[in-house]
């Protein structure tokens, strides 16, 4: 039987933060007398758990209260709280069935009281609630999944997908871990023709070993696009206006605006980015830095599907350190516009897109993510093409610093667009 011990944060604080009570937690050699029994006041059902309110016995060497239950897979889980509190939360119930939880008083010699058996019926657990919200949608050479996790509990989403490619069928599985209120994850780089469908199934698992069965999310054809060639791209001179919007200044210090459309990204072993020198709006210091606008003439009419932006790296010659990726001087939030010929005005496509900052990565993984760039759809929730346009406008709104609140985004390495040639 596998046993898992989960101790509340309060217990650690009380163990190490209350010096006047420290002697209470010193083990008494030779003590074999168990403490008195816990008295239950009431319990309240939680999502996938229960909260127990109780009265502790009056033993002077009491350490705290333990709660133990065994799930349907014969795994035992133990939760503990200190004697300073009068309640204990227990989680990990995999269903809304009835469970038996045993409450024990525990002293500092490790002696347990007689068990108090309490039958509880929890509310629906987080992992099944998340599973009900998952939606799968076709994207460009990709598909993505959206879900809601209102309890913000740690879950794993398993994505099983099948398709035919080359010599025959392929079946792959990806796993995503999350505790966000709302999340979206992509399965990218699926180069399939529009007549080839992808079958998708998902299951959700929590940290206590509970999991749904795989649920069929249907099959769909992926959308097709191509990389828009940059050979015909041109940009205005700094401060030249298109539709009343000035082209930004990016030729400060070692930076040059033209490097953003040359298909070469900034790495530790080169310098390939624009630099606003903190005066990006017009080039005049008095006008400030942000928001600044990077305007591109595509050299022809295209319907645009998505954008990939690459940040300045400046991370050392070996390209193994994070450098400036997802940090100060790079663009963290931006807007996108296309030029509408009939009205002769800029039309906003999406607003205040935030480039997500990866978490839990090694330095080398940051380099890998940074060099791949950040991808965003023109229409994130309903992937499709824009109407035909010749001019594209990238508006840098904020940097990463201060949780996307500061005007310190001086640099950008590359903009790449995907779509199709307008008919």
């Amino acid at each position: 039987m596998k046993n898992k011990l989960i101790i509340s944060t309060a217990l650690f604080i009380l163990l190490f933060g209350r010096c006047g009570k420290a002697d209470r937690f010193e083990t008494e050699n030779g003590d074999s007398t168990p403490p008195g029994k816990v008295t239950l006041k009431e319990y309240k059902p939680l999502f996938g758990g229960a909260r127990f309110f109780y009265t502790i016995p009056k033993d002077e060497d009491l350490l705290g209260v333990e709660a133990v239950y065994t799930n349907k897979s014969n795994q035992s889980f133990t939760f503990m709280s200190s004697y300073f509190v009068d309640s204990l939360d227990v989680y990990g119930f995999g269903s809304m069935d009835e469970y038996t939880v045993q409450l024990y008083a525990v002293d500092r010699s490790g002696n347990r009281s007689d068990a108090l058996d309490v039958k509880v019926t929890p509310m629906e657990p987080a992992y099944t609630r998340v599973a009900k919200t998952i939606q799968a949608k076709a994207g460009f050479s990709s598909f993505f999944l959206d879900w809601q996790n209102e309890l913000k509990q740690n879950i794993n989403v398993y994505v099983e997908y099948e398709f035919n490619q080359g010599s025959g069928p392929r079946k792959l599985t990806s796993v995503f871990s999350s505790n966000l209120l709302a999340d979206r994850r992509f399965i990218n780089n699926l180069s399939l023709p529009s007549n080839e469908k992808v079958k998708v199934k998902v299951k959700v698992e929590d940290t206590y070993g509970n999991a749904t069965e795989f649920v069929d999310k249907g099959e769909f054809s992926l959308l097709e696009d191509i990389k828009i060639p940059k050979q015909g791209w041109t940009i205005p001179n700094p401060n030249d206006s298109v539709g009343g919007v000035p082209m930004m200044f990016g030729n400060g210090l070692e930076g040059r605006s033209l490097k953003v459309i040359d298909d070469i990204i900034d790495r530790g072993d080169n310098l390939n980015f624009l630099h606003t020198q903190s005066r990006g709006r017009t080039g005049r210091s008095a006008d400030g830095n942000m928001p600044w606008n990077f305007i591109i003439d595509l050299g022809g009419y295209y319907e645009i599907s998505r954008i990939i932006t690459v940040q300045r790296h400046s991370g050392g010659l070996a390209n193994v350190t994070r450098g400036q990726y997802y940090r100060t001087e790079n663009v963290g939030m931006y807007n996108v516009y296309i030029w509408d010929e009939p009205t002769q005005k800029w039309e906003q496509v999406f607003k205040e897109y935030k480039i997500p900052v990866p978490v839990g990565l090694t330095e080398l993984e940051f380099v890998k993510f940074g060099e791949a760039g950040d991808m965003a759809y023109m229409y994130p929730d309903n992937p499709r093409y824009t109407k035909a346009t010749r001019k594209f406008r990238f508006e840098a709104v904020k940097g990463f610093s201060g949780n996307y609140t500061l005007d310190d985004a001086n640099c950008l390495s590359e903009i790449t667009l995907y779509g199709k040639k307008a008919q």
Side-chain angles (χ1 to χ4, degrees), residues 140 186 188 225-228 230 233 260-261 292 294-296 298 303-311 331 333-338 349-351 353-356 372-380 383-386 392-396 412-420:
F140 291 97
F186 285 83
N188 287 314
D225 60 4
I226 62 167
K227 179 182 173 183
I228 298 176
K230 299 182 181 181
W233 289 12
V260 174
I261 60 171
W292 49 259
F294 194 95
I295 300 170
I296 304 172
L298 303 175
E303 298 173 24
I304 305 171
S305 58
R306 52 192 171 121
I307 178 175
I308 294 178
T309 56
V310 180
Q311 304 162 42
V331 179
M333 181 193 300
Y334 65 89
N335 300 326
V336 160
Y337 302 80
I338 59 172
V349 179
F350 63 75
K351 183 178 182 181
Y353 171 77
K354 291 181 179 179
I355 298 174
D374 180 82
M375 187 270 289
Y377 287 159
M378 294 296 106
Y379 302 101
R384 63 188 189 278
Y385 300 100
T386 67
F392 176 85
R393 174 179 152 210
F394 173 94
E395 183 182 38
L412 180 68
S413 176
E414 195 71 22
I415 290 176
T416 300
L417 299 175
Y418 285 78
K420 65 181 180 179

Side-chain angles (χ1 to χ4, degrees), residues 134-169:
I134 295 179
Q135 293 184 320
K137 291 184 180 180
F140 291 97
S141 300
S142 66
F143 68 89
F144 62 92
L145 298 105
D146 289 330
W147 64 80
Q148 302 289 322
N149 183 1
E150 77 253 68
L151 303 178
K152 297 183 180 181
Q153 293 192 12
N154 294 314
I155 52 97
N156 296 319
V157 177
Y158 292 77
V159 186
E160 183 180 275
Y161 52 105
E162 298 180 63
F163 55 91
N164 288 316
Q165 188 178 54
S167 59

Side-chain angles (χ1 to χ4, degrees), residues 117-404:
D117 291 347
V118 183
K119 294 186 182 298
V120 301
T121 303
M123 295 190 290
E124 184 179 12
Y127 77 101
T128 60
R129 296 172 71 87
V130 171
K132 292 176 181 178
T133 70
I134 295 179
Q135 293 184 320
K137 291 184 180 180
F140 291 97
S141 300
S142 66
F143 68 89
F144 62 92
L145 298 105
D146 289 330
W147 64 80
Q148 302 289 322
N149 183 1
E150 77 253 68
L151 303 178
K152 297 183 180 181
Q153 293 192 12
N154 294 314
I155 52 97
N156 296 319
V157 177
Y158 292 77
V159 186
E160 183 180 275
Y161 52 105
E162 298 180 63
F163 55 91
N164 288 316
Q165 188 178 54
S167 59
R170 296 190 65 188
K171 185 175 183 180
L172 302 172
T173 301
S174 294
V175 184
F176 302 107
S177 298
S178 175
N179 60 3
L180 301 178
L181 177 64
D183 209 344
R184 169 173 291 175
R185 298 299 179 96
F186 285 83
I187 305 292
N188 287 314
N189 302 318
L190 298 175
S191 299
L192 300 174
S194 58
N195 61 352
E196 182 60 60
K197 292 190 175 182
V198 179
K199 298 178 182 179
V200 179
K201 296 180 180 179
V202 300
K203 79 171 183 178
V204 182
E205 176 187 64
D206 67 13
T207 56
Y208 303 97
N210 303 304
T212 67
E213 299 295 327
F214 272 103
V215 178
D216 189 352
K217 290 299 177 178
E219 58 180 2
F220 40 76
S221 298
L222 306 185
L223 304 173
E224 294 182 284
D225 60 4
I226 62 167
K227 179 182 173 183
I228 298 176
K230 299 182 181 181
Q231 291 87 340
W233 289 12
T234 58
I235 60 175
N237 292 322
N239 219 9
D240 283 355
S241 293
V242 178
V245 177
M247 172 67 177
M248 57 90 65
F249 171 78
N251 297 333
L253 302 176
E254 65 270 68
R256 295 294 180 268
S257 293
L258 279 171
K259 293 183 181 293
V260 174
I261 60 171
D262 66 358
D263 258 342
I264 303 172
I265 66 170
D266 179 61
R267 292 163 55 90
D269 53 8
N270 72 347
L271 295 174
N272 199 281
F273 50 84
L274 65 75
H275 200 303
T276 69
Q277 207 171 351
S278 298
R279 48 193 176 102
R281 296 181 76 173
T282 65
R284 296 177 63 250
S285 297
D287 293 332
N289 195 33
M290 303 183 77
W292 49 259
N293 289 272
F294 194 95
I295 300 170
I296 304 172
D297 186 320
L298 303 175
Y301 288 88
Y302 290 88
E303 298 173 24
I304 305 171
S305 58
R306 52 192 171 121
I307 178 175
I308 294 178
T309 56
V310 180
Q311 304 162 42
R312 178 185 182 181
H313 179 208
S314 298
L317 295 179
N319 288 317
V320 295
T321 57
R322 176 179 178 177
Q324 289 181 264
Y325 283 143
Y326 310 98
R327 285 175 170 165
T328 302
E329 286 213 294
N330 279 310
V331 179
M333 181 193 300
Y334 65 89
N335 300 326
V336 160
Y337 302 80
I338 59 172
W339 181 251
D340 183 59
E341 293 281 1
T343 64
Q344 291 289 289
K345 292 181 179 179
W346 288 108
E347 179 181 303
Q348 190 164 41
V349 179
F350 63 75
K351 183 178 182 181
E352 294 187 352
Y353 171 77
K354 291 181 179 179
I355 298 174
V357 179
V359 296
L361 302 185
T362 65
E363 291 285 298
L364 193 57
E365 286 171 332
F366 267 113
V367 173
K368 181 180 177 181
F369 269 72
E371 290 187 347
D374 180 82
M375 187 270 289
Y377 287 159
M378 294 296 106
Y379 302 101
D381 297 322
N382 184 23
R384 63 188 189 278
Y385 300 100
T386 67
K387 59 188 177 184
T389 186
R390 181 172 177 130
K391 295 184 178 67
F392 176 85
R393 174 179 152 210
F394 173 94
E395 183 182 38
V397 179
K398 295 291 180 182
F400 286 101
S401 303
N403 192 25
Y404 306 93

